[in-house]
Amino acid sequence: MKIKEDILKGCSVIIPSKGRLDYNKQLTLINLPKAILKNTIVVTPPEELEGMIKMLMENNVKVGGIIPIEHSSISELRFKVISKLKRNIIFLDDDFNFHCREYPDTENDTKYLLKALNEKYFSEENIEKYISDMFSWISEKLNSDDFGMVGVGARGGNNFLKLKNIYNTRINGFWGINYNNFKKIGSPDISKISTKEDFYLSLCFLKKGIPTISTSDYAYDTPSGSNAAGGCSTYRSLKKMEDNSRALLSFFPDCVSLVKKPISRWNGLGDEGEFFDVKISWKKAYVGKPITDINGYIEEPARTKENYKK
């Protein structure tokens, strides 16, 4: 099956990577179809540029480019990329597996049919098709200019969602930004907080009346768990996480509150005790027109055993 070459429709895929020069840990690159890789830019610290080039060449991985950017936080890196490219961008972490709910070739043994896109459940042809369809959906929504951010939810949450499109909700990890709308809200400097920049940006859009959207028909997960060695864990500490939780509260006190969560949910930060995280009222933050008035709005159910063939 030939995959369309214009899947991304002018959007760029960005994969920040740090401390993972072992190709076996580059799950996102391993999982992406060639048609996506050709428009993918890997962003790396300058000191890892040579190692990244060597790793990709040794594994015959052809990407659209590799950009070295000096940065001290993941939020600073993302802000520099947005400012440099000035176009619609899709950000992914470098350690993702993908899932979807479209299963003509698998056993239907879970209610909402969300399974890993791998050879255990899918043919090679359909793995490529569904991942390509996922990026096509994101690009279509970004290019509509109807949304500030477009996301794909994490598997754990998406397993329980009953609607395909979720408006004005939590978006993190795997998301795209509409550059025109980013400029419209004043190009906010997301590097003012070192983590939770995706939450900060979402709230900036919602507070200016620009909606966000996420899908539950596709999903991502990180097999190595939250805060695995390398990647974002190199920027993260318990103190920074709590400081940024308090910063979010100060920026958006009407829709953000602090909650205590167990430290053990984050790898490498400790096994006991609690830390301050955030609870965000996304629907309360949104001040725009009713979502039913958004172009193309449809309250479409997520695919289930009962309706996936329809």
Side-chain angles (χ1 to χ4, degrees), residues 145-159:
D145 284 342
D146 291 327
F147 305 99
M149 292 173 71
V150 178
V152 173
R155 182 192 61 184
N158 280 6
N159 267 331

Side-chain angles (χ1 to χ4, degrees), residues 90-263:
I90 302 169
F91 285 106
L92 298 92
D93 291 352
D94 61 3
D95 57 347
F96 283 170
N97 282 336
F98 303 113
H99 304 251
C100 87
R101 284 196 174 108
E102 192 118 26
Y103 301 133
D105 59 342
T106 64
E107 293 294 326
N108 306 321
D109 60 1
T110 59
K111 183 177 181 181
Y112 289 104
L113 310 179
L114 199 58
K115 289 185 179 177
L117 279 164
N118 59 37
E119 62 279 359
K120 179 179 178 180
Y121 300 112
F122 296 94
S123 65
E124 183 178 348
E125 182 179 59
N126 275 343
I127 291 173
E128 185 171 355
K129 176 187 183 302
Y130 296 144
I131 292 177
S132 298
D133 286 350
M134 175 176 63
F135 278 92
S136 182
W137 179 87
I138 299 170
S139 300
E140 177 185 340
K141 295 300 182 185
L142 282 176
N143 289 334
S144 72
D145 284 342
D146 291 327
F147 305 99
M149 292 173 71
V150 178
V152 173
R155 182 192 61 184
N158 280 6
N159 267 331
F160 300 97
L161 297 177
K162 298 181 179 180
L163 293 177
K164 175 178 180 177
N165 295 333
I166 314 299
Y167 296 87
N168 305 332
T169 188
R170 175 190 179 108
I171 293 178
N172 67 298
F174 185 174
W175 51 274
I177 179 173
N178 176 281
Y179 186 69
N180 288 336
N181 285 327
F182 179 71
K183 290 191 296 180
K184 190 179 293 186
I185 64 171
S187 304
D189 183 0
I190 61 175
S191 68
K192 63 173 58 179
I193 59 174
S194 59
T195 64
K196 294 183 171 65
E197 73 287 345
D198 31 26
F199 291 174
Y200 175 77
L201 184 55
S202 287
L203 289 169
C204 286
F205 279 120
L206 297 179
K207 282 297 187 181
K208 294 292 185 179
I210 297 176
T212 64
I213 187 172
S214 184
T215 181
S216 70
D217 272 351
Y218 305 98
Y220 73 89
D221 81 329
T222 52
S224 52
S226 299
N227 211 51
C232 292
S233 69
T234 59
Y235 312 106
R236 190 183 288 124
S237 69
L238 199 58
K239 183 179 185 304
K240 285 182 180 179
M241 291 167 65
E242 290 195 314
D243 287 347
N244 286 305
S245 292
R246 293 186 176 92
L248 270 182
L249 173 63
S250 69
F251 295 141
F252 306 101
D254 61 328
C255 55
V256 175
S257 58
L258 296 180
V259 294
K260 286 187 176 182
K261 293 185 179 178
I263 294 173

Side-chain angles (χ1 to χ4, degrees), residues 4 22 68 166 208 307:
K4 293 181 180 179
D22 177 353
I166 314 299
K208 294 292 185 179
N307 71 17

